[in-house]
Amino acid sequence: MASKGAGMSFSRKSYRLTSDAEKSRVTGIVQEKLLNDYLNRIFSSSDHAPPAATSRKPLNFQNLPEHLDQLLQVDNEEESQGQVEGRLGPSTVVLDHTGGFEGLLLVDDDLLEVIGHSNFGTIRSTTCVYKGKWVYEVLISSQGLMQIGWCTISCRFNQEEGVGDTHNSYAYDGNRVRKWNVTTTNYGKAWAAGDIVSCLIDLDDGTLSFCLNGVSLGTAFENLSRGLGMAYFPAISLSFKESVAFNFGSRPLRYPVAGYRPLQDPPSADLVRAQRLLGCFRAVLSVELDPVEGRLLDKESSKWRLRGQPTVLLTLAHIFHHFAPLLRKVYLVEAVLMSFLLGIVEKGTPAQAQSVVHQVLDLLWLFMEDYEVQDCLKQLMMSLLRLYRFSPIVPDLGLQIHYLRLTIAILRHEKSRKFLLSNVLFDVLRSVVFFYIKSPLRVEEAGLQELIPTTWWPHRSSREGKESTEMKEETAEERLRRRAYERGCQRLRKRIEVVEELQVQILKLLLDNKDDNGGEASRYIFLTKFRKFLQENASGRGNMPMLCPPEYMVCFLHRLISALRYYWDEYKASNPHASFSEDDLASKANVVIDPLELQSTTMDDLDEDEEPAPAMAQRPMQALAVGGPLPLPRPGWLSSPTLGRANRFLSTAAVSLMTPRRPLSTSEKVKVRTLSVEQRTREDIEGSHWNEGLLLGRPPEEPEQPLTENSLLEVLDGAVMMYNLSVHQQLGKMVGVSDDVNEYAMALRDTEDKLRRCPKRRKDILAELTKSQKVFSEKLDHLSRRLAWVHATVYSQEKMLDIYWLLRVCLRTIEHGDRTGSLFAFMPEFYLSVAINSYSALKNYFGPVHSMEELPGYEETLTRLAAILAKHFADTRIVGTDIRDSLMQALASYVCYPHSLRAVERIPEEQRIAMVRNLLAPYEQRPWAQTNWILVRLWRGCGFGYRYTRLPHLLKTKLEDANLPSLQKPCPSTLLQQHMADLLQQGPDVAPSFLNSVLNQLNWAFSEFIGMIQEIQQAAERLERNFVDSRQLKVCATCFDLSVSLLRVLEMTITLVPEIFLDWTRPTSEMLLRRLAQLLNQVLNRVTAERNLFDRVVTLRLPGLESVDHYPILVAVTGILVQLLVRGPASERERATSVLLADPCFQLRSICYLLGQPEPPAPGTALPAPDQKRFSLQSYADYISADELAQVEQMLAHLTSASAQAAAASLPTSEEDLCPICYAHPISAVFQPCGHKSCKACINQHLMNNRDCFFCKATIVSVEDWEKGANTSTTSAA
């Protein structure tokens, strides 16, 4: 385009517009007078009047360039830049990454942002000052250990000493709230992430001071060294992973200080020009030409439209000829364009603002070169992100709302959105910041005191797993406070919901697949970037500043789920031919999968390319319709490492709806793929109802994925992976605020109780208690308001529904994979992890404000998860050790609580039986501790003295200690116990193999425990080393707990199926009973001996050994003995008694110890009262019933009588006739073919695990009965 006679040409775009002098006196545009009026209206300037020479001539496009040049002239002072007195160094000030640093640091590309990557790295700027008043700003990105200030070039730093630790270096440390110059003193106040520190130096007066968010902290240092060779550099020292961003003046200062200059001079002349050009541009948007009437019409900017009028086009072209180069500069974009656009957003309605911003972006793309617009948009989005992230929180979140609305207005412009998605949002910026709502660390500055004037906090923890103590009746005053607090929380929640809705709108724009101008849809560009985002965060190998922090990931996940569900509902509405089982993305059903394709995939061809056409044609066309969605991750890096070619069939993109779709022919596919991006229509990209489409943005290994909904399912896959990466851990971390509230509330109540009990005469104590009460109250006020913020942003009802929806998605996916057979083996592990963790989060993290029981379909979901855990905790297809342990732990937790245990009981009977069968598998060659604890939890509440929720021995010593470890309330399952009993009675090998493994593990666990307490006792007695390793104490306590749990499993087995031990018609019963008696006697002797090792260790009360005491293990042993000796039929009781007494380790004194008696009572006499200093079951009357105590007394009387009779009837046995293995029983068996001998108990126990002879290692073929002097023997196969 050229303007004749103008002396300039516009080469930016080819508009083909000319001013034709041969035409009539309308100048080829409009009438001359109207054109003059229009141009004067546009290019008038109140502060820069046009010269007289041009005022005498009417303005037209011939003399407009001259007029515009004069309009843009600036004063000499504004024009002059460069070296200024008092400053040395480059005019563009950056961090000195070539030589002005110490330690390892990560410096951003703009050389203004820095991240610490070593212990205490230091870096300074490239410019110094020696005279005058100067200022620079530092944006605190993380609130950790940093020292910010000034230093001279002579300062030498290292990994321990930074800015402020040497002479002539001065620093402010907001983390420790101190100032540093060799020595340190208190100064200023604490900073937080998002704060801006202004560093001011006055070298005329020799003072140095700091401001925090524009508020002066006062003079920090005086009498600075000045003179020859003394020049000060901005500098910072920061510890590992701390980060800041400097602003030396390359962008407008957020908090300019009068009289102080930024180190880098602002582009004053360009700023004046840009502001004048912006005024001209605004004038264009507010004036409309009416050539018919020959007049100018005032127009609202929101109603202005570019109608293709040559006059307007030429006018804008002249403006942008000067304006475009200026809009590439960071300072001018933020100071001029950003301010202009924000003004539009703040003054008008969202619709009006959207209209104006859309017009502005259209004009930018029309009149500027692409590279100019792209630079401008990049700087604009970077400024917007920075402003949103670090703006202070105000009660109405007004600043954040304005920035988000402007972001939405920009992203609604399709061409701008696609450029930003392709090149900026995920490549240059950490764009997930737009979806984060930061928590105010300073409650008073966020205005929460006005929003929530009344504070309140719960008086106890209601999280499941903690014992719920009875709550006092709520007083009228407390009720009023609670309701006022809830109203304040509701007000806060409504304001936060406004921001969240705007964030969801941004994601809806990024997920838009209905772009009007063709080309690659925004959704598929987003998916390409989203894959890379997940890959970098999963591997942790991405660019460190671009990795997503967990708190950002939580908010991003919730917004993504909201946008995803919106588009899925829209897709369902626009596709009536598709079949859906429920109104939920998680329940998409009726998918078709070729099971032959699954079965034919072997390890040899997993990584092969697509099969050739003939091979596919030979395969039978059989398909299996199954229900449920298949949200498995498509990209190879999201899937199992061995998936390969099968991934194409198993992924979300390989699922077909039952609705038939005509495949594209080969020629059609070639035709579509050869079209340019701009020529592809929406049907080419997505497909219509009757043919497949072409999804763009797919990875090269999957070029032909047909389904429209695959893009949404891939987003869903990413959401599942995001939860697994860091969201769950962050949800657990944020519960710490609620825990802090509970701890401070408990401390406040204790202090108030002490105040009430304190005598009035002790004024000193009263003063200290009152002071403590005030501190706790203030802290609780702060924490309760912060808790309201956390509940609104992280634990709200909507967030809970999102996590619940994600749980249901994973459940349906796992069920579908399991039904499809071999598909399950290829499913990534994190689906199981997310199913387990999301249920845990719903149960533990969202209470007490929201309860999982309020969720729709709660009972059904519990049952479905129970079925998955019951079936797959021992699934051989799951080979990952971590996920197997997670499933085992999840099932163990599941059976602890009544609601979830009832869900386990509701699953089909065959699944329950299969679960119990897996639990009863022998303990060898597999992790057994978790399965044993599962069995124990099914028994808790039924065993002898096994109904406690806190360890009774601890409550006896620390009655008022509320921090004692607590257990879940007993909730036994008689149904699962019956399944266990039925299985143990089935077949000859189930019970012996299970019980043999239990007895083996009990022998090992208790022996390890005894060995460890010997070491602990020896270490505690040494004078030179009077401490014990905490890890050793933990292992010791674990062995003790394992011993108790194994004893409880034995108690359950004997109670449910006593005939396994007492019916000696079974071949293994006698052996099992003798082994059991031997172990019980060993445990009793070790624990009940007077002043023995066990007693001494328990008396030490070492931290970590709180659970180790007489009560837990002795009541477990007592329960077994009572079941054997008291509760059964007389014949079985006598059999058990004879075995117990025949064991050489039996001591009647150990049984007396249970009732606090040093010696057995005389026959026929009553038991004396137990000694209070001795252990006695009678002193635990709150946990052991009177009937149980009576049974113990009956057992003691029975054993006293039986032992006396056995002693009278026993005959002396020579040593030669005793078993050479145990020396406890006479020889009763001979081994064939070697002929060695032992008692039956020893050889039977040995043959459970080994077939070699004790003595000669020959293989034992058979075992024969042997009696001394007898000539015949009975043979049994080994």
Side-chain angles (χ1 to χ4, degrees), residues 124 151-157 166-169 229-233:
R124 65 171 185 261
C151 72
T152 64
I153 198 169
S154 61
C155 295
R156 294 292 177 264
F157 305 111
T166 64
H167 290 288
N168 297 325
S169 69
M230 296 302 297
Y232 291 88
F233 292 82

Side-chain angles (χ1 to χ4, degrees), residues 492-540:
L492 174 63
R493 190 176 301 113
K494 288 180 178 178
R495 297 184 181 187
I496 288 176
E497 285 172 356
V498 175
V499 176
E500 292 177 345
E501 178 55 34
L502 293 173
Q503 293 170 333
V504 172
Q505 287 183 35
I506 293 177
L507 268 175
K508 288 179 182 177
L509 290 170
L510 300 184
L511 288 172
D512 187 12
N513 65 333
K514 300 177 182 177
D515 298 330
D516 298 328
N517 297 328
E520 190 172 12
S522 299
R523 178 182 298 175
Y524 305 119
I525 305 174
F526 173 81
L527 282 175
T528 302
K529 302 298 181 180
F530 188 47
R531 290 189 203 106
K532 182 180 178 183
F533 166 81
L534 288 174
Q535 188 174 12
E536 288 178 347
N537 283 277
S539 63

Side-chain angles (χ1 to χ4, degrees), residues 642-656:
T642 58
L643 201 53
R645 181 175 65 85
N647 183 39
R648 287 196 295 276
F649 200 84
L650 305 176
S651 65
T652 56
V655 183
S656 306

